[in-house]
Amino acid sequence: MNLTKAKEFCRTLPGTTEDIKWECNLVFSVGEKMFAAMDAKDKAKAISFKVDDDRFLELTDREGIIPAPYLARARWVMVEDLSKLPDAEAKALLKRSHELVFAKLTRKLQREIEGAA
């Protein structure tokens, strides 16, 4: 998968918003909580996102996937070149990241997002 496809996919997830943080990072959020981030530059290849606690070590053992700088303690990984992941796996990981963050939102906010979808 390439970053353009990843961006398009993230935009389809319920309640997703996007903005620029830290002057140069494109961030996708749900309920104002981040679930994916990447460099906003067009030539960027890396993407970071949240993963299940039990998948963190498994994923970071793979070549090209490292603990995300500054966010690893929250179980975020960085895929250094997203084109190395098959589309289906990349989509599943991004969708799961969205689900993990969505699950931590208040029930009221979850209902609002579900109602808007």
Side-chain angles (χ1 to χ4, degrees), residues 59-104:
L59 289 167
T60 55
D61 277 347
R62 291 170 58 178
E63 186 176 334
I65 302 178
I66 63 171
Y70 309 108
L71 293 169
R73 71 184 184 330
R75 298 299 185 246
W76 277 59
V77 298
M78 175 186 277
V79 178
E80 295 177 308
D81 185 351
L82 192 58
S83 68
K84 305 285 186 201
L85 279 182
D87 285 8
E89 183 179 14
K91 283 182 178 181
L93 289 167
L94 289 168
K95 184 174 189 252
R96 184 63 184 148
S97 178
H98 178 274
E99 292 168 350
L100 289 167
V101 173
F102 182 83
K104 295 284 187 177

Side-chain angles (χ1 to χ4, degrees), residues 12-104:
T12 68
L13 298 170
T16 295
T17 58
E18 62 184 275
D19 64 341
I20 301 291
K21 292 191 187 295
W22 310 294
E23 297 180 20
C24 62
N25 291 81
L26 177 61
V27 174
F28 290 92
S29 303
V30 60
E32 298 186 17
K33 304 288 184 184
M34 300 184 325
F35 71 88
M38 64 198 75
D39 195 311
K41 295 177 186 151
D42 289 335
K43 301 213 185 281
K45 292 183 180 180
I47 185 169
S48 298
F49 48 86
K50 186 165 183 58
V51 297
D52 288 291
D53 290 352
D54 59 339
R55 296 224 42 215
F56 182 79
L57 290 177
E58 168 204 337
L59 289 167
T60 55
D61 277 347
R62 291 170 58 178
E63 186 176 334
I65 302 178
I66 63 171
Y70 309 108
L71 293 169
R73 71 184 184 330
R75 298 299 185 246
W76 277 59
V77 298
M78 175 186 277
V79 178
E80 295 177 308
D81 185 351
L82 192 58
S83 68
K84 305 285 186 201
L85 279 182
D87 285 8
E89 183 179 14
K91 283 182 178 181
L93 289 167
L94 289 168
K95 184 174 189 252
R96 184 63 184 148
S97 178
H98 178 274
E99 292 168 350
L100 289 167
V101 173
F102 182 83
K104 295 284 187 177

